[in-house]
Amino acid sequence: MELKRDTTTILVVLMVLTWSPGTNLKSPSYAHTQDTVSVSLPGDIILGGLFPVHEKGEGAPCGPKVYNRGVQRLEAMLYAIDRVNNDSNILPGITIGVHILDTCSRDTYALNQSLQFVRASLNNLDTSVFECSDASSPQIRKNASSGPVFGVIGGSYSSVSLQVANLLRLFHIPQISPASTAKTLSDKSRFDLFARTVPPDTFQSVALVDILKNFNWSYVSTIHSEGSYGEYGIEAFHKEATERHVCIAVAEKVPSAADDKVFDSIINKLQKKPNARGVVLFTRAEDARRILQAAKRANLSQPFHWIASDGWGKQQKLLEGLEDIAEGAITVELQSEIIEDFDRYMMQLTPETNQRNPWFAEYWEDTFNCVLEPVSEQFNAPTMVDSTDIKIGTKSKTTCEENFRLSEKVGYEQESKTQFVVDAVYAFAYALHNLHNDRCNIQSDQTSEQRKHQHSESVWYRKLTTDTKSQACPDMANYDGKDFYNNYLLNVSFIDLAGSEVKFDRQGDGLARYDILNYQRLENSSGYQYKVIGKWFNGLQLNSETVVWNKEAEQPTSACSLPCEVGMIKKQQGDTCCWICDSCESFEYVYDAFTCKDCGPGLWPYADKLSCYALDIQYMRWNSLFALIPMAIAILGIAVTIIVMVLFAKNHDTPLVRASGRELSYTLLFGILVCYCNTFALIAKPTIASCVLQRFGIGVGFSIIYSALLTKTNRISRIFHSASKSAQRLKYISPQSQVVITASLIAIQVLITMIWMVVEPPGTRFYYPDRTEVILKCKIQDMSFLFSQLYNMILITICTVYAIKTRKIPENFNESKFIGFTMYTTCIIWLAFVPIYFGTGNSYEVQTTTLCISISLSASVALVCLYSPKVYILVFHPDKNVRKLTMNSTVYRRSAAAGAQGAPTSSGYSRTQPGTTVPTGAVGTTASSALPTQDSPNLDELSGQTAVVHKKSEYGNGEFLSEEGECAEPISNRVKN
């Protein structure tokens, strides 16, 4: 209450100054006339109105030209008041009056005009703080023309509403604007009694940015008018544009008193940013027109594409003479419906019938471009003065005819804010009706829901004054305006005359619905029209195919830099919307507009470079040529090996098989079979099991073969080496010993493999030879594999050395020769395999195939060289597989003679030592001459014969033991034979 009293005191002083004749600071002639003109209709409850009937004047608040939109809005309020007063369902028995003033589109002038509303409301002031000199309470004189204003409808411009709302709130006078959209008016801490039937510009700014994004425009210029509408609107637009990555090339403001030079300068600045083809206008209508005029004067070679707010909207007169410059413009207009009944109302008006609107005559003359004849007493004096002035300045105009009527032919079109003016009147009416029901204890005849959907038939004229007492009770007439605003006005909800829902949110804002318009040339005509191309309600719905552009066949581009192609990122240069494009690497994807990221091993970017997918995992396939060839070799080798094993098994007890050393022969054949089987483990898809088999199979398979061969060659070498040195029988040459030695050698490889398993646990890994391949392999490093074969290489090397040492054994002892051939060939294979294996590491298929074939070749060499002679005898010459050990006489005699002379043997050792006596019971020959011929089982008789030569006393009966441990016939008998 203290704040109210203080502000009231200040306003009383202001009004005293205003009432004083010396305080009239306006232009004396025309402006002063406008102060005295208003629309004042009596009623039980008075609603004020503020509309821009005249345009702004130059050097004066008001200009001589009427503003057609303002006149229509004024008439819309009168039309709505008439309907409410004649509707028995709304405020029955209560008449609403009006007090409408002209704001002249200027905020300071509108504030001064609004003081008239305050004067009448001062009657309701709390005068308890005032006291006259005679101790009586002061009495404030009532306005003779109208009572106190209960609420105000207006103003139109946001700058006007800002000024008026600050004033009216001090006197608790609620206000509803049908056109002010400034965002700041939603601030209830400053404008707590302000509401509007239109949404704030926040939503319009979002709609404008949505339009730009729909066209992929990222670089635009902006122009806004000075004042709350343009400044708050463009501020919201800039904020939304920045958040959505739309850059502003040029941002210009149109001052309130701008002349043509200012507008020409703005156009010149826009031309300096030629890539910003789109220009967003957040201006008042008159500023938008002057911008277009400046663009026309500039004679642009490359036209701008205008995106305008509802300040431009869908006004036709704004573009008169500028149609070619405005063609293709896209504008935003509050979604409104045509009230056909209002058009009928307007079309029946004439200056003679419409005497309550003192500015209608000016509107009529401007519309028809004519001059009304003086009508003496029917109009107010100020109107006659205005009309006379107009006639003096327009002598060329014709006199208005009586049959003139408003219609589309003369350019009449219902103004877009008409619906919102009518909605504002009905919002007050329904709120007052609810207040009346609550305070005056009169029940409504119909429910609230019925009121929302039912309107009485159109009645355009006020009810005749009757003697019926007003139904407005004192509690209703004196109800506090602030409580009325919060408890009633914000809570109304109804369906208006156009069928749209009307309600307010807690900030007093209306619903946000917009039409998106495109200014287009009519087909086969020189005329133009606004065509609805989309709508906005919580989101944009736009049909881009119907958009027409100015001198452009296709949608233009408005961007500082063109969008980067697929797989490219932006590198910023200066402005945030200016960049150069740089390609990502083939294995990278576009993480965001400015960053490339590596997909990572085993991944590759999609064609759009927006994400990555997993590459197909490669491994040896059973049906590939790289697998079929080694498998064919392995299968053939396995078959041959099995045949040899079966053949040996069938001839198990024959002399040839027995003399070959059955245990080592079977061991060696098993090793060969394991080597062939390794091919399948190597070709199989890598798993833990297949990887374990690979490690054991390759190492152990080779160790079985070469351990058995080493045991054989070592035995042969030891026998021939010791034959000339000692008569003592050699140890560890029995079959059992040979098996144990071989098993021991194999066990070393098994132990090495087990240690390898512990150090490098088996498993699988992905190998990436390049970024486009992912190969599934066993977790075996190539060097680890090589080290695991070192032991086998040592075995091969030792076997080869023994093979070289025994290379000159007599030709009838031929197995050592085949072992030699085997080892020489094996060395060549292994020497070739190592560089090939490591040299083909970049191709897993070639490497695997090389390894498989090398293993199979090594096994095949051993199989062919060692077993083909025996198989040949077993299959084709079984007659030679006999017990009889014949000796070639020529060889025998040559060997005997050499022995008699003490010549060295083929092994390089002398067969007899000096002083050695050969027993008479045996043939005096060397050990080698006592060997069986090629046609006889030879190797396995070797131990028995050397025993006879070196230790006759052991076999006194002239017999010897073969390798199989059986008794052999005496050597003397063999010699005799």
Side-chain angles (χ1 to χ4, degrees):
M1 287 301 296
E2 290 299 324
L3 177 60
K4 180 177 178 181
R5 291 171 183 174
D6 291 342
T7 53
T8 302
T9 303
I10 294 171
L11 287 171
V12 168
V13 174
L14 288 174
M15 283 184 284
V16 169
L17 292 173
T18 304
W19 292 335
S20 174
T23 60
N24 187 6
L25 303 177
K26 299 181 297 298
S27 180
S29 59
Y30 187 78
H32 178 70
T33 302
Q34 294 302 317
D35 281 348
T36 61
V37 180
S38 65
V39 177
S40 183
L41 301 177
D44 301 316
I45 295 176
I46 304 298
L47 292 181
L50 293 171
F51 298 102
V53 179
H54 289 86
E55 295 181 352
K56 283 194 296 186
E58 295 183 4
C62 299
K65 186 175 178 62
V66 295
Y67 189 35
N68 292 330
R69 293 208 298 178
V71 175
Q72 278 202 44
R73 292 174 189 178
L74 184 151
E75 290 294 342
M77 180 175 178
L78 294 176
Y79 162 79
I81 291 292
D82 288 347
R83 289 190 61 97
V84 170
N85 286 336
N86 288 279
D87 192 338
S88 60
N89 297 319
I90 305 175
L91 295 172
I94 298 176
T95 302
I96 298 179
V98 299
H99 186 192
I100 302 175
L101 302 172
D102 181 10
T103 64
C104 294
S105 307
R106 192 179 292 273
D107 52 359
T108 54
Y109 182 75
L111 179 62
N112 187 68
Q113 288 286 75
S114 301
L115 291 174
Q116 297 186 42
F117 299 147
V118 176
R119 292 169 188 165
S121 298
L122 289 177
N123 294 325
N124 300 328
L125 288 177
D126 181 7
T127 59
S128 61
V129 297
F130 302 101
E131 187 176 271
C132 297
S133 58
D134 58 356
S136 61
S137 298
Q139 298 294 325
I140 300 177
R141 182 175 60 87
K142 292 185 179 181
N143 189 308
S145 61
S146 63
V149 174
F150 198 89
V152 174
I153 294 176
S156 293
Y157 290 112
S158 295
S159 57
V160 170
S161 293
L162 285 167
Q163 295 285 0
V164 173
N166 275 320
L167 174 65
L168 297 182
R169 67 183 291 272
L170 299 176
F171 295 90
H172 291 201
I173 300 176
Q175 174 187 359
I176 300 179
S177 172
S180 298
T181 56
K183 174 186 176 182
T184 188
L185 289 168
S186 298
D187 185 357
K188 293 297 101 178
S189 64
R190 296 175 56 194
F191 308 102
D192 51 345
L193 294 181
F194 178 84
R196 48 188 165 189
T197 51
V198 292
D201 286 332
T202 306
F203 297 102
Q204 186 175 184
S205 298
V206 174
L208 289 171
V209 177
D210 283 345
I211 293 171
L212 299 180
K213 298 298 287 185
N214 182 80
F215 298 138
N216 292 322
W217 289 2
S218 60
Y219 197 57
V220 297
S221 297
T222 62
I223 305 175
H224 68 279
S225 295
E226 184 179 20
S228 56
Y229 171 75
E231 291 175 357
Y232 288 118
I234 207 67
E235 179 187 355
F237 172 82
H238 283 178
K239 180 180 179 182
E240 183 72 17
T242 302
E243 290 177 353
R244 298 174 65 181
H245 309 293
V246 175
C247 298
I248 309 303
V250 177
E252 290 296 315
K253 180 172 72 172
V254 179
S256 299
D259 55 14
D260 289 346
K261 291 183 179 180
V262 173
F263 289 99
D264 291 339
S265 175
I266 290 174
I267 295 299
N268 289 334
K269 290 179 180 178
L270 296 183
Q271 287 182 289
K272 292 179 181 179
K273 297 287 186 178
N275 288 339
R277 302 283 305 280
V279 180
V280 177
L281 301 182
F282 226 111
T283 61
R284 296 179 298 183
E286 54 266 33
D287 289 340
R289 178 173 176 81
R290 297 187 70 179
I291 290 169
L292 296 177
Q293 289 173 341
K296 188 170 186 178
R297 288 193 299 270
N299 194 21
L300 301 174
S301 59
Q302 187 179 41
F304 291 114
H305 302 287
W306 313 104
I307 309 293
S309 65
D310 61 348
W312 177 334
K314 57 180 179 180
Q315 299 183 61
Q316 287 284 5
K317 284 199 170 184
L318 182 150
L319 304 179
E320 287 181 356
L322 302 170
E323 290 85 356
D324 57 332
I325 300 297
E327 182 181 3
I330 296 175
T331 64
V332 175
E333 182 62 276
L334 282 167
Q335 184 178 330
S336 60
E337 303 295 333
I338 298 298
I339 302 177
E340 296 180 358
D341 190 51
F342 177 75
D343 285 340
R344 291 192 291 269
Y345 165 81
M346 289 293 292
M347 291 177 184
Q348 57 84 37
L349 291 178
T350 64
E352 290 77 15
T353 59
N354 188 12
Q355 300 181 20
R356 60 185 180 180
N357 183 353
W359 301 289
F360 191 76
E362 296 177 59
Y363 171 73
W364 193 267
E365 290 177 337
D366 182 73
T367 301
F368 293 99
N369 195 25
C370 64
V371 177
L372 287 169
E373 294 181 357
V375 182
S376 56
E377 282 82 14
Q378 290 184 353
F379 295 96
N380 294 334
T383 305
M384 292 304 298
V385 172
D386 297 343
S387 178
T388 303
D389 292 341
I390 292 174
K391 290 180 182 180
I392 293 173
T394 56
K395 294 181 180 180
S396 61
K397 294 184 180 180
T398 60
T399 304
C400 298
E401 299 180 10
E402 293 183 358
N403 61 346
F404 282 169
R405 293 293 184 274
L406 295 174
S407 66
E408 294 181 358
K409 294 181 179 179
V410 297
Y412 167 78
E413 183 181 7
Q414 186 174 138
E415 202 272 326
S416 61
K417 299 294 193 300
T418 298
Q419 178 184 358
F420 302 111
V421 176
V422 174
D423 290 346
V425 173
Y426 269 90
F428 267 119
Y430 280 123
L432 288 168
H433 183 86
N434 294 334
L435 174 64
H436 176 262
N437 288 341
D438 292 344
R439 292 292 172 176
C440 300
N441 298 320
I442 299 176
Q443 298 298 324
S444 176
D445 295 332
Q446 297 182 351
T447 64
S448 175
E449 186 66 23
Q450 289 173 324
R451 290 199 306 273
K452 290 182 181 180
H453 299 279
Q454 183 175 353
H455 301 281
S456 62
E457 293 183 0
S458 175
V459 179
W460 296 328
Y461 297 104
R462 295 174 61 80
K463 293 181 289 187
L464 297 175
T465 304
T466 63
D467 295 331
T468 304
K469 185 177 180 181
S470 171
Q471 298 295 323
C473 60
D475 286 347
M476 176 182 177
N478 298 324
Y479 193 75
D480 181 69
K482 188 170 185 178
D483 293 338
F484 172 76
Y485 175 87
N486 292 316
N487 298 333
Y488 292 96
L489 196 58
L490 292 185
N491 294 324
V492 296
S493 177
F494 59 94
I495 303 299
D496 65 8
L497 300 182
S500 301
E501 182 183 9
V502 179
K503 63 180 180 180
F504 303 102
D505 60 20
R506 296 318 300 173
Q507 282 71 42
D509 298 328
L511 297 177
R513 289 188 292 254
Y514 298 97
D515 285 329
I516 312 301
L517 310 171
N518 185 217
Y519 192 62
Q520 301 180 359
R521 181 191 292 269
L522 294 170
E523 294 184 4
N524 303 320
S525 172
S526 60
Y528 291 82
Q529 67 170 358
Y530 289 98
K531 181 178 179 181
V532 177
I533 58 172
K535 295 184 179 297
W536 193 96
F537 181 64
N538 295 328
L540 180 66
Q541 296 178 346
L542 184 67
N543 185 2
S544 300
E545 296 179 356
T546 61
V547 178
V548 173
W549 303 99
N550 191 352
K551 300 178 183 179
E552 300 268 2
E554 297 181 355
Q555 177 183 310
T557 300
S558 185
C560 181
S561 301
L562 294 177
C564 292
E565 297 179 0
V566 173
M568 304 184 79
I569 59 171
K570 302 173 184 177
K571 288 194 173 179
Q572 213 71 52
Q573 285 191 334
D575 202 324
T576 56
C577 287
C578 301
W579 60 78
I580 59 173
C581 296
D582 189 27
S583 298
C584 293
E585 296 291 342
S586 59
F587 52 83
E588 293 179 328
Y589 70 99
V590 179
Y591 177 72
D592 57 33
F594 305 96
T595 310
C596 293
K597 273 200 172 181
D598 193 336
C599 286
L603 298 174
W604 196 256
Y606 285 103
D608 59 8
K609 289 281 190 174
L610 296 179
S611 57
C612 303
Y613 65 92
L615 290 169
D616 291 335
I617 299 175
Q618 301 180 36
Y619 51 88
M620 187 73 81
R621 309 287 176 172
W622 295 104
N623 57 354
S624 70
L625 186 63
F626 291 99
L628 293 175
I629 293 175
M631 282 196 301
I633 296 174
I635 291 171
L636 179 62
I638 290 171
V640 173
T641 303
I642 292 175
I643 290 172
V644 173
M645 294 177 73
V646 171
L647 191 60
F648 265 55
K650 291 179 65 176
N651 296 276
H652 183 71
D653 292 325
T654 61
L656 180 63
V657 174
R658 291 166 64 88
S660 297
R662 289 176 294 186
E663 291 80 2
L664 292 183
S665 293
Y666 287 125
T667 300
L668 202 148
L669 286 171
F670 178 73
I672 293 172
L673 189 64
V674 170
C675 287
Y676 283 127
C677 291
N678 282 333
T679 295
F680 300 97
L682 289 168
I683 293 176
K685 179 180 179 180
T687 61
I688 294 179
S690 64
C691 292
V692 170
L693 289 176
Q694 287 182 25
R695 293 199 191 186
F696 270 104
I698 297 174
V700 175
F702 280 135
S703 67
I704 293 174
I705 295 175
Y706 301 120
S707 295
L709 286 176
L710 178 60
T711 303
K712 278 197 172 192
T713 55
N714 174 264
R715 184 168 131 241
I716 295 172
S717 178
R718 285 195 299 136
I719 290 174
F720 277 92
H721 180 70
S722 62
S724 62
K725 293 183 178 182
S726 172
Q728 186 178 0
R729 183 185 177 108
L730 296 176
K731 297 180 180 179
Y732 311 118
I733 60 175
S734 66
Q736 294 79 6
S737 299
Q738 300 297 298
V739 171
V740 171
I741 293 172
T742 302
S744 300
L745 294 174
I746 295 172
I748 294 174
Q749 178 63 38
V750 173
L751 179 62
I752 292 173
T753 305
M754 294 297 294
I755 295 173
W756 184 22
M757 292 282 188
V758 174
V759 174
E760 191 177 357
T764 59
R765 65 183 175 95
F766 292 116
Y767 171 63
Y768 307 98
D770 57 51
R771 297 306 300 264
T772 61
E773 288 186 288
V774 183
I775 301 173
L776 181 63
K777 281 189 169 186
C778 288
K779 196 183 296 183
I780 304 173
Q781 299 298 327
D782 291 341
M783 292 306 297
S784 299
F785 172 72
L786 180 64
F787 290 146
S788 70
Q789 299 302 315
L790 285 176
Y791 177 70
N792 288 323
M793 293 180 185
I794 294 172
L795 293 179
I796 292 172
T797 303
I798 297 174
C799 284
T800 305
V801 171
Y802 277 121
I804 293 173
K805 290 179 66 175
T806 59
R807 68 187 184 280
K808 293 184 179 180
I809 290 177
E811 59 185 31
N812 58 333
F813 186 70
N814 49 30
E815 189 170 27
S816 63
K817 296 179 182 179
F818 295 126
I819 293 175
F821 294 153
T822 301
M823 300 318 301
Y824 305 151
T825 308
T826 300
C827 287
I828 294 172
I829 292 173
W830 277 64
L831 288 174
F833 159 73
V834 172
I836 292 175
Y837 179 77
F838 287 98
T840 57
N842 58 341
S843 175
Y844 74 98
E845 292 176 316
V846 175
Q847 189 179 53
T848 303
T849 302
T850 301
L851 180 59
C852 292
I853 293 176
S854 298
I855 294 172
S856 296
L857 283 178
S858 298
S860 299
V861 166
L863 180 65
V864 173
C865 291
L866 296 177
Y867 290 95
S868 57
K870 297 179 178 61
V871 171
Y872 177 79
I873 292 174
L874 292 175
V875 176
F876 299 105
H877 293 284
D879 55 299
K880 294 183 180 182
N881 186 10
V882 294
R883 181 69 183 160
K884 182 178 180 180
L885 300 179
T886 359
M887 296 178 61
N888 183 285
S889 59
T890 304
V891 174
Y892 169 76
R893 286 193 296 269
R894 187 185 308 120
S895 299
Q901 297 172 7
T905 65
S906 62
S907 61
Y909 300 99
S910 176
R911 296 303 180 187
T912 58
Q913 299 295 331
T916 303
T917 303
V918 179
T920 57
V923 178
T925 185
T926 63
S928 61
S929 63
L931 293 175
T933 65
Q934 184 177 358
D935 297 332
S936 303
N938 44 32
L939 178 63
D940 297 309
E941 301 296 330
L942 185 61
S943 61
Q945 294 175 22
T946 55
V948 173
V949 173
H950 292 289
K951 195 175 180 181
K952 177 178 179 286
S953 59
E954 186 176 350
Y955 304 104
N957 56 0
E959 297 179 348
F960 69 93
L961 291 175
S962 69
E963 186 177 1
E964 299 291 342
E966 61 189 14
C967 292
E969 59 181 302
I971 294 178
S972 58
N973 295 339
R974 297 182 188 179
V975 174
K976 291 178 181 180
N977 293 335

